[in-house]
Amino acid sequence: MLEFNYKALPWNIIFGAGTLQTLPQEIEKLGFERAMVLTTPQQQSAGEDILQLIGTKGAGLFSEAKMHVPAQTLESAKSLADEIKADCTISLGGGSTTGLGKALAAQKALPNIAIPTSFAGSEMTNIWAVTETDRKVTARDEVVVPTLTIYDPELTLTMPVGFAMVSGLNALAQAVVNVATDKPNPIVASMALDGIRALVSALPRIKADPDDIDARAEALYGASMAGAALGTGSTGLHHKLCHVFGGTFNTPHAETHAILLPHSVAYNAAATKQGTQRISEVMGVDDAALGIFELAGTLGAPQALSEIGIKESDLDEAAAVVTEQSFNNPEPVTTDRVRLLLQRAFEGLPPEAV
Ligand code: NAD
């Protein structure tokens, strides 16, 4: 018998090529007067363009956003927000910049306008994080959901193809874990499945033609649906693994997801038969875990933890940290089985139930 709970998040989305140009009128509608623009150092000049676009509504630019929101970066951003008397933030960038906007919303009650330029999907979730020394701490809070998200696919055109592929696989992970579950939620799964369909269709087209704006738009939509699924759904072993590698070993976020996803799907396959079958159908493959592994290979994404700076001697510690606290997962999580999974992922072997 079907049984589920569902609570929507307060999404407010404008989606379409060229919609960045609506930003000044949207700020006016929302009544903000002193926006602080956030970017990474790599996207500083795009942040300066935003300041120019919004004219007198721009109060300043903080261009030091970093992966996983280091506590020190958050403190520097808070100081600048005080100094320039910001009344909102505008995050222009990937998940790192969106993440800084969300942390400022949580800790300084600053409303955030998200303008995503990667396929991270963070703008659709209520999950925010701060990293203190080498431990990343995450929490869910509706207050971090952006007041407005402007999805302009043209902004993703500057994303290098290699990063676009792993970023898309990061989005795929958010959708996949919400279908390959033993507690399916039909509303969450419908968003997730449409996200998977869009991403699986669009990513190979972007790889073949990086300037294909229709494919970029479809991938951005897919990322949005995947983020929506993560925001209203749940996580398990896969996200725990990625969280530990990112927080403890400082691995690049999207690549870590791309490498581990096939293995975590295989790990849970026995307990999630219906869900993995639905993923296989949408992907047009026989086996979801292997299909994802092969897709990642076709897209040229890294497939081994050894490729992203992990040493074989790190695997014992990683398996121990992953299993030191209990968390929900369809299959029982044991240190021995996680260590076996990690060995396959380290070597870049095809996924197998361990
Ligand atoms: P990122 O934001 O760090 O981006 C990687 C690099 O690419 C950065 O230098 C960035 O400036 C650049 N970049 C992004 N878009 C670009 C574009 N269009 N053109 C040129 N350069 C561009 O990486 P990411 O993978 O997008 O985000 C990773 C972070 O997001 C991690 O900290 C992760 O934990 C977080 N995240 C959070 C959630 C959530 O729900 N809270 C979801 C997904 C990711």
Side-chain angles (χ1 to χ4, degrees):
M1 181 70 80
L2 194 58
E3 241 179 50
F4 66 94
N5 301 336
Y6 178 76
K7 183 169 188 308
L9 291 175
W11 298 312
N12 177 22
I13 294 168
I14 296 174
F15 191 109
T19 51
L20 176 63
Q21 297 311 316
T22 66
L23 180 61
Q25 74 211 48
E26 292 303 324
I27 293 180
E28 190 74 45
K29 273 195 235 164
L30 291 166
F32 298 137
E33 295 291 339
R34 300 191 59 77
M36 176 162 92
V37 178
L38 310 174
T39 67
T40 61
Q42 293 77 11
Q43 289 180 289
Q44 179 176 345
S45 76
E48 283 158 3
D49 292 346
I50 295 283
L51 272 183
Q52 209 167 6
L53 176 68
I54 62 177
T56 56
K57 304 285 184 184
L61 170 67
F62 181 85
S63 59
E64 298 300 323
K66 282 198 187 73
M67 185 85 74
H68 307 310
V69 194
Q72 221 175 356
T73 306
L74 178 56
E75 287 311 311
S76 306
K78 282 187 198 168
S79 302
L80 183 63
D82 285 340
E83 198 184 304
I84 65 177
K85 299 188 169 51
D87 63 1
C88 73
T89 59
I90 301 176
S91 304
L92 176 84
S96 299
T97 311
T98 309
L100 179 59
K102 291 165 91 174
L104 287 166
Q107 294 199 348
K108 274 198 86 60
L110 276 174
N112 173 245
I113 298 176
I115 307 177
T117 63
S118 80
F119 302 137
S122 169
E123 63 287 343
M124 294 296 280
T125 86
N126 51 1
I127 304 167
W128 68 284
V130 184
T131 301
E132 303 265 1
T133 55
D134 62 354
R135 290 288 158 114
K136 184 171 169 181
V137 182
T138 61
R140 285 190 187 252
D141 188 340
E142 197 172 296
V143 80
V144 306
V145 176
T147 302
L148 172 67
T149 294
I150 297 180
Y151 282 114
D152 184 340
E154 285 176 2
L155 301 176
T156 70
L157 285 168
T158 49
M159 187 169 31
V161 173
F163 178 52
M165 296 302 103
V166 288
S167 184
L169 290 167
N170 175 195
L172 187 70
Q174 299 164 5
V176 161
V177 300
N178 279 291
V179 183
T181 164
D182 56 342
K183 296 188 188 68
N185 178 315
I187 301 175
V188 174
S190 66
M191 292 188 288
L193 283 163
D194 205 37
I196 296 169
R197 178 203 56 72
L199 289 161
V200 168
S201 156
L203 295 177
R205 284 155 49 217
I206 297 174
K207 170 96 176 152
D209 175 6
D211 295 329
D212 183 340
I213 184 70
D214 290 331
R216 294 258 179 182
E218 190 170 14
L220 190 60
Y221 164 74
S224 165
M225 286 299 97
L230 182 69
T232 51
S234 58
T235 60
L237 175 63
H238 176 70
H239 280 79
K240 185 75 181 176
L241 287 168
C242 294
H243 181 99
V244 167
F245 276 102
T248 307
F249 300 99
N250 204 23
T251 57
H253 179 83
E255 287 82 349
T256 309
H257 273 276
I259 293 165
L260 290 168
L261 182 62
H263 300 282
S264 37
V265 171
Y267 187 104
N268 281 329
T272 61
K273 284 200 177 103
Q274 246 185 334
T276 45
Q277 179 57 30
R278 293 183 81 187
I279 294 168
S280 303
E281 280 163 18
V282 166
M283 292 186 70
V285 298
D286 292 334
D287 177 81
L290 196 57
I292 295 166
F293 182 78
E294 286 172 353
L295 174 68
T298 310
L299 299 178
Q303 295 196 280
L305 290 172
S306 59
E307 289 177 68
I308 57 166
I310 293 297
K311 298 188 287 302
E312 197 163 4
S313 55
D314 295 329
L315 300 182
D316 286 345
E317 183 189 348
V321 178
V322 166
T323 50
E324 75 190 5
Q325 284 162 5
S326 65
F327 52 91
N328 288 330
N329 190 64
E331 278 283 306
V333 177
T334 65
T335 311
D336 288 352
R337 285 181 69 190
V338 168
R339 180 65 181 77
L340 287 170
L341 177 163
L342 292 180
Q343 189 65 36
R344 295 193 74 81
F346 175 77
E347 293 179 32
L349 297 171
E352 244 179 34
V354 290

